[in-house]
Amino acid sequence: MRSTSSSMSISSCYRRPPDTTLGLKEIAVRTVVVTGGATGIGHAVAQAFAEAGDRVVITGRRESLLTDAAERIGATAVAFDAADPTSVAAALPLLPTRVDVLVNNAGGNTNFDRSEAADDDLAAVAERWRANLDANLMSAVLVTAALASRFTDNARVVTIGSIAARQGAGSYGAAKAAVEAWTASLASQLGPRGITANVVAPGLIVATEFFRGRMTDEGIRQRVAATRNGRAGTTDDVAATVLFLASQAAGHLTGQVIHVNGGAYLGR
């Protein structure tokens, strides 16, 4: 469970002040779309934007879970599968016609939901690799392509990557590495409009569904030991970084991978 005091501190850092010149409370409200926004990192990001005063739309496949999450933070829920082009196209009429910030968070290691494939079962190997590429790369590519014409000038695109892109993890790591390469191209494509595109790559983040209950205490200990600050990351750590990249202050940061892992991997 996320700490209320921690989430408040994140959003307050990026809350836009009222226009005191006119003596009126005029706040420029942005429209933010967060895929995979029902749980974990996506939900923390969506909540932080909502608390900062933005209009937030969260998406995901599990409609009931998504609706409950949206109600808790005052967001709008739009249920669809971000990795399915037909599903994305069908959802477009329900998505905002103007988008200031897109956070591509949908994804995860699909291997956790599949049985092991023998090396000589090529069809099964291909299926496992394509599943991770679809969930982590194509979900971001499809939603971004679908909404690109709706991006405002100076919009922000932030995609959630992973330390696995630099340290391995088979098809999942490869998919997240592909996200980094795609983001570099996207930054060039959207740059002339003042739109930035960046990746936030977390290390170990606790209190999410990511590991499906498979992470052992020893696994956590080893990953924490690899950090410079001696702790696991939190969803709030990632949300704070996403909010900065979505801010006006980050207008000259684009095509970058921002590592949020306590120094477990040094991005240099």
Side-chain angles (χ1 to χ4, degrees):
M1 183 177 294
R2 301 176 63 244
S3 165
T4 302
S5 61
S6 178
S7 62
M8 287 179 66
S9 65
I10 291 174
S11 61
S12 63
C13 290
Y14 297 94
R15 192 180 302 278
R16 288 167 297 285
D19 184 348
T20 54
T21 302
L22 297 177
L24 300 173
K25 189 177 182 181
E26 294 184 352
I27 298 177
V29 177
R30 298 176 299 180
T31 298
V32 180
V33 176
V34 182
T35 68
T39 62
I41 289 173
H43 187 64
V45 169
Q47 181 169 348
F49 276 114
E51 291 175 349
D54 292 310
R55 183 183 299 109
V56 179
V57 176
I58 60 174
T59 80
R61 293 176 299 169
R62 295 174 288 180
E63 186 169 7
S64 177
L65 189 67
L66 190 71
T67 300
D68 289 345
E71 289 178 353
R72 287 197 303 272
I73 64 174
T76 300
V78 180
F80 65 91
D81 183 352
D84 180 351
T86 301
S87 183
V88 175
L92 274 176
L94 303 176
L95 292 170
T97 56
R98 173 188 174 96
V99 177
D100 299 295
V101 181
L102 169 62
V103 182
N104 291 307
N105 169 76
N109 192 338
T110 58
N111 288 338
F112 290 146
D113 300 320
R114 295 172 175 270
S115 57
E116 291 291 334
D119 290 342
D120 60 353
D121 186 348
L122 299 185
V125 170
E127 183 180 359
R128 285 169 65 87
W129 276 75
R130 286 172 179 149
N132 255 325
L133 287 167
D134 281 345
N136 295 285
L137 173 64
M138 293 310 303
S139 61
V141 170
L142 290 173
V143 175
T144 303
L147 295 179
S149 64
R150 304 183 183 189
F151 291 158
T152 59
D153 289 346
N154 302 307
R156 303 286 187 257
V157 180
V158 182
T159 303
I160 303 302
S162 172
I163 193 174
R166 306 298 178 93
Q167 294 189 335
S171 57
Y172 174 69
K176 290 301 191 181
V179 164
E180 294 184 7
W182 166 72
T183 298
S185 295
L186 186 67
S188 296
Q189 175 188 338
L190 300 178
R193 294 178 55 197
I195 300 172
T196 66
N198 293 288
V199 174
V200 173
L204 172 66
I205 302 296
V206 295
T208 73
E209 299 177 326
F210 180 82
F211 291 104
R212 306 291 196 273
R214 299 187 182 193
M215 176 59 73
T216 64
D217 290 343
E218 177 60 19
I220 293 175
R221 188 198 66 76
Q222 291 177 358
R223 286 163 175 79
V224 169
T227 67
R228 265 65 175 178
N229 58 0
R231 70 170 177 87
T234 68
T235 56
D236 283 346
D237 290 327
V238 181
T241 307
V242 172
L243 258 67
F244 169 68
L245 289 173
S247 71
Q248 291 183 352
H252 202 50
L253 260 174
T254 193
Q256 305 301 311
V257 180
I258 309 301
H259 298 279
V260 183
N261 56 46
Y265 172 83
L266 300 180
R268 57 182 182 177

